[in-house]
Amino acid sequence: FRGGAELLFDGVKKHRVTLPCQPEPWDIRNLLKWIKQNLLKERPELFMQGESVRPGILVLINDADWELMGELDYKLQDQDNVLFISTLHGG
């Protein structure tokens, strides 16, 4: 989490997680639900909108824009690095 997004997660920038087993492969959609339930500490409306991230949150999967990877439908692989960067700034 970068660009201020980490403030919604107790200021922790890096989380190494092991996701629980489930019948279907994990995708970003399910990862976001898991993050909301397990890591997000405050003001979910600043991170999520519906089942996706809020506009203004840049998502990178292994340093590539998630739009190139299938966004919410991207199937997570072992050791993937998912980065959320807030581009929203108060004024």
Side-chain angles (χ1 to χ4, degrees), residues 25-31 61-62 66 68-78 80-82:
W26 280 88
D27 57 21
I28 296 292
R29 178 179 286 105
N30 290 326
L31 175 65
I61 301 169
N62 301 321
W66 77 325
L68 303 173
M69 310 293 281
E71 296 183 6
L72 293 171
D73 295 323
Y74 173 78
K75 303 290 186 228
L76 292 167
Q77 306 295 314
D78 191 33
D80 272 348
N81 183 41
V82 182

Side-chain angles (χ1 to χ4, degrees), residues 39-70:
L39 299 178
L40 189 59
K41 300 298 182 190
E42 60 183 81
R43 303 192 61 190
E45 71 277 4
L46 294 180
F47 184 70
M48 305 239 359
Q49 185 174 38
E51 67 177 14
S52 188
V53 293
R54 178 184 168 153
I57 303 285
L58 176 65
V59 181
L60 301 177
I61 301 169
N62 301 321
D63 298 324
D65 191 324
W66 77 325
E67 292 179 1
L68 303 173
M69 310 293 281

